[in-house]
Amino acid sequence: MPTPPENRELSPYTGWTRAHWETTADRLLLAVRPFASPRHGLIDLPGPRPSWSGARSDGLEGWARTFLLAALRVAGAKGEDPYGHLDRYAEGLAAGTAKPGTDDPDSWPLTTDTRQAIVEAASVALGLRLTRPWLWDRLDDRTRRQVADWLRPALGASPVDNNWWLFGLTVAGFLQDAGIDTDRAAATIDRSLARVDDWYLGDGWYSDGDNRAFDHYNAWALHFYPVLHAHLAGDRELLDRYGPRLRAHLDDYVHLFDADGAPLPYGRSLIYRFAAAAAPWLGTLTGHTPLTPGATRRLASGTLRYFLDRGATDTNGLLTLGWHGPYPPLVQEYSGPGSPYWASKGFLGLLLPADHPAWTDPEEPLPAERADTVRPFAPAGLLVQTTAADGLVRLHNHGSNHVHSAEAGEDDPGYARQSYSTRTGPTTGPAPADNHFALVVEGRPTHRGPAVPAGTGPGWAASRHTPYPGVRVLSATLAHGRAEVRAHLVLGAPEGTPVRQTGWATTPEGPSAQLHPVHGYGYPADGEAVELPTGETLQGPGSRTRALHGVTVGPTALFVALASLTAEPDPAPVADLANVLVTGHTLRVTWRNGTTARLDLDAIDTPDPREDPDLRGTPDPDDDPDSRDHPHPHHDPDPRDAPEPEDL
């Protein structure tokens, strides 16, 4: 299949057009065909191991997620299907649902027996909804009954109390359109949306369940399913409720994409790769977006090209389990060989007609290319920092945690780091943790555990954590340009406790990192950073990470450092970018351009009732969860009190 020619007049940043998207979709779909079962009911892709749901579930996953891609491809072409994608999936649909739960080589697992099948039911239902005139309406009555019977159990309560509620919503939306169990479907939609609303914190941000998990699931699940359902149903009331939330989220989300197209590798399920483009396409599809059409295509095409140009597919044209190529540390236990094909969501833009401005307007630059930015995402406790000189994106985490994080428990590298970027780490065990502040107890660095947000403001964010029983750490990041001030106030540690601050984990071909002591560091020698070998990251092998060491003095000890990550050639020392004056626990920073910042750590160190039993039940009169620049801590439901939902 020939590659379409680039069009640098229409797409000066990526060269890509709609034809490239269509060709890529066809190539991905044709590549999985050799791995189909005899009647195309399962697609059993090769991989290093099955998921924890088993090989039969993985075969369904390979079928359902590629079916969603086929549905977007054909629906976007108004039914034109030159490669006969839907014919194969129609045959597989009939075969998979004829004897579900049996050992027949094409049979699907039952959703009542295999919970993962509920996830895949959403992709099946969405694909059927998108292609109804060309597939569902042409099926015989028996096959339609089989499929409806297989889907129905997904209308029940979600077995997992997080974004899984939206899988039942998606199944219900299709059944309602098809006139099947409409009353029960309507009830499922209402119940599912009500549960998701419980997790909406404002400014476009949801928590993924009763916890503080903020990651790409905000975009490719928590916004994706409700807004797309409202659009497909033509439900103006729902779209008026959920569309503005999507718009608000995209206003932040667009800052998480590097000039080279990379989305920020942060959180879990990163093997879905260019599914990160789904929400920007959805905003354009529904009219709820702050992005221009040209900027939307530039983001989406840049992201798709980023992965394809860096080996996301193997020699057989199959998506691998990793980031660029295969990378086992990135793969969760719930992921199998077919899991990466949730990237199909990134092709949502094919639903836009060929003459839509998103396909015909010239590409426009991303925020990371236009200007330096330091922007807090207040509900999530995150701070994004971008630099136009190199298009690099950094994210400082002061409030997001993996659902299973616990004090003094093991850290998840995708959530527990202080900072993430589009061109570095994170490191994985047993390598030293990058971007991490730790006490060193009996020769071993402590874990971070849950980060409790302590506030955000113009150019800064702060959080608390408990790395060791009886010890509390207040951490803050101030940023400007490429410079970062990292401060940690340690309370309650025994006198002379060693501490360690690590910086960015950079690979030989990556950007350059700097880490410079400002206050409190001076061990083992003069306080200057040492370099640690930290092994392979998702960016490649051979990473190295700088580290500073110090010891606590007194009941409270303050440690301050300057850090920098840049792809600029021959960067000036980070100490030249900022002058930091420390007075007590107050930081006064003068940046290189003469602007100043001040942060009083004592003023934001209001003890959290969850950390001090004597303060439980004492409200914070200044608490305002909707203020992006509020100077006081925002207390959210305790993630330690949340149930432990199984991940997707």
Side-chain angles (χ1 to χ4, degrees):
M1 185 183 303
T3 299
E6 291 190 357
N7 185 336
R8 289 288 172 174
E9 182 176 352
L10 178 64
S11 302
Y13 294 91
T14 71
W16 272 33
T17 65
R18 182 185 177 94
H20 290 85
W21 283 82
E22 293 172 336
T23 299
T24 300
D26 288 330
R27 285 174 172 169
L28 290 171
L29 289 166
L30 293 173
V32 303
R33 286 188 177 183
F35 303 95
S37 57
R39 291 182 292 155
H40 310 147
L42 302 171
I43 294 181
D44 293 304
L45 298 171
R49 58 154 181 79
S51 73
W52 64 12
S53 297
R56 179 73 60 157
S57 176
D58 293 347
L60 169 63
E61 185 174 64
W63 190 96
R65 299 187 180 197
T66 58
F67 172 54
L68 179 57
L69 177 57
L72 291 166
R73 172 70 176 97
V74 176
K78 305 300 182 186
E80 292 185 16
D81 189 5
Y83 292 96
H85 297 310
L86 290 193
D87 288 343
R88 293 177 63 91
Y89 284 99
E91 183 180 355
L93 192 69
T97 58
K99 300 176 182 178
T102 70
D103 291 335
D104 180 271
D106 287 276
S107 290
W108 293 356
L110 292 166
T111 57
T112 51
D113 295 338
T114 304
R115 292 202 301 182
Q116 184 65 28
I118 295 174
V119 182
E120 308 319 318
S123 292
V124 173
L126 182 54
L128 290 171
R129 195 175 191 183
L130 293 171
T131 60
R132 184 177 169 188
W134 310 290
L135 200 165
W136 178 260
D137 290 348
R138 297 182 180 183
L139 294 175
D140 60 77
D141 290 342
R142 178 180 178 181
T143 300
R144 284 200 290 261
R145 285 194 299 270
Q146 290 174 187
V147 174
D149 288 343
W150 186 82
L151 289 171
R152 276 192 183 94
L155 297 180
S158 173
V160 183
D161 196 26
N162 64 356
N163 68 83
W164 277 49
W165 283 98
L166 297 173
F167 305 138
L169 164 82
T170 304
V171 171
F174 165 67
L175 293 178
Q176 192 176 58
D177 279 2
I180 300 169
D181 283 355
T182 55
D183 290 344
R184 189 179 176 206
T188 296
I189 292 168
D190 291 343
R191 182 176 62 239
S192 300
L193 292 177
R195 186 64 181 122
V196 170
D197 283 348
D198 290 340
W199 302 321
Y200 186 63
L201 301 179
D203 290 345
W205 286 90
Y206 293 89
S207 177
D208 189 12
D210 289 329
N211 54 63
R212 291 197 58 84
F214 303 102
D215 51 32
H216 288 285
Y217 276 83
N218 258 276
W220 66 38
L222 292 159
H223 285 288
F224 181 85
Y225 290 110
V227 176
L228 186 55
H229 163 70
H231 171 73
L232 294 176
D235 191 324
R236 176 53 56 185
E237 181 181 351
L238 284 183
L239 198 56
D240 287 346
R241 184 195 312 173
Y242 294 100
R245 296 182 185 181
L246 172 62
R247 182 187 181 93
H249 185 67
L250 291 175
D251 201 37
D252 284 343
Y253 188 65
V254 67
H255 291 272
L256 300 180
F257 289 80
D258 195 295
D260 66 12
L264 193 86
Y266 164 70
R268 61 189 176 92
S269 300
L270 294 176
I271 61 170
Y272 302 157
R273 295 183 174 101
F274 41 84
W281 280 129
L282 181 59
T284 298
L285 181 67
T286 61
H288 290 281
T289 180
L291 309 181
T292 64
T296 299
R297 189 177 78 258
R298 188 269 178 271
L299 183 157
S301 292
T303 298
L304 183 57
R305 280 211 68 170
Y306 173 82
F307 289 109
L308 295 181
D309 289 350
R310 288 165 177 78
T313 55
D314 64 15
T315 55
N316 293 318
L318 302 176
L319 289 173
T320 59
L321 290 157
W323 186 247
H324 296 155
Y327 183 61
L330 205 65
V331 184
Q332 273 81 30
E333 291 180 336
Y334 54 78
S335 296
S339 296
Y341 286 87
W342 230 34
S344 299
K345 293 181 176 183
F347 285 80
L348 189 71
L350 291 178
L351 295 183
L352 296 165
D355 60 356
H356 190 281
W359 294 116
T360 60
D361 282 3
E363 288 180 340
E364 298 179 20
L366 295 172
E369 299 171 289
R370 295 198 304 261
D372 292 359
T373 299
V374 179
R375 181 184 180 99
F377 301 163
L382 303 174
L383 184 73
V384 69
Q385 175 189 13
T386 69
T387 42
D390 53 11
L392 206 155
V393 178
R394 312 147 191 84
L395 188 72
H396 306 289
N397 176 21
H398 289 281
S400 178
N401 305 292
H402 189 273
V403 63
H404 297 306
S405 61
E407 286 184 5
E410 291 290 329
D411 285 340
D412 186 316
Y415 292 89
R417 301 296 188 255
Q418 179 182 345
S419 302
Y420 297 84
S421 91
T422 46
R423 303 188 201 177
T424 64
T427 62
T428 58
D434 62 311
N435 291 320
H436 181 63
F437 181 82
L439 310 181
V440 181
V441 179
E442 297 180 352
R444 301 186 64 180
T446 56
H447 300 294
R448 187 184 191 190
V452 179
T456 59
W460 66 272
S463 60
R464 301 180 196 82
H465 68 278
T466 303
Y468 195 77
V471 180
R472 183 160 54 92
V473 176
L474 174 69
S475 299
T477 304
L478 299 88
H480 183 275
R482 66 174 172 91
E484 313 156 29
V485 176
R486 300 182 177 186
H488 306 279
L489 185 63
V490 181
L491 300 97
E495 180 86 11
T497 300
V499 302
R500 185 183 75 183
Q501 168 76 71
T502 56
W504 298 99
T506 57
T507 52
E509 302 303 318
S512 60
Q514 299 171 344
L515 187 63
H516 177 74
V518 172
H519 180 87
Y521 297 104
Y523 167 83
D526 58 4
E528 290 299 317
V530 297
E531 195 171 65
L532 308 173
T534 43
E536 184 177 16
T537 71
L538 53 79
Q539 303 291 350
S543 77
R544 301 189 71 82
T545 303
R546 294 183 181 275
L548 295 170
H549 294 83
V551 295
T552 60
V553 177
T556 62
L558 178 61
F559 299 90
V560 183
L562 275 164
S564 167
L565 179 72
T566 182
E568 295 178 34
D570 302 318
V574 68
D576 294 349
L577 304 183
N579 179 56
V580 183
L581 177 64
V582 179
T583 305
H585 298 155
T586 298
L587 310 179
R588 293 177 176 85
V589 185
T590 302
W591 306 109
R592 185 164 61 173
N593 69 351
T595 60
T596 61
R598 178 182 179 277
L599 190 63
D600 182 350
L601 297 178
D602 288 331
I604 63 173
D605 187 33
T606 304
D608 191 311
R610 291 164 290 178
E611 300 176 71
D612 186 343
D614 294 334
L615 294 177
R616 291 189 187 275
T618 304
D620 181 355
D622 294 319
D623 191 25
D624 180 4
D626 295 321
S627 173
R628 181 180 295 277
D629 295 332
H630 202 286
H632 296 287
H634 165 40
H635 301 315
D636 292 297
D638 190 344
R640 289 166 283 168
D641 294 336
E644 294 191 351
E646 183 176 315
D647 292 325
L648 168 61

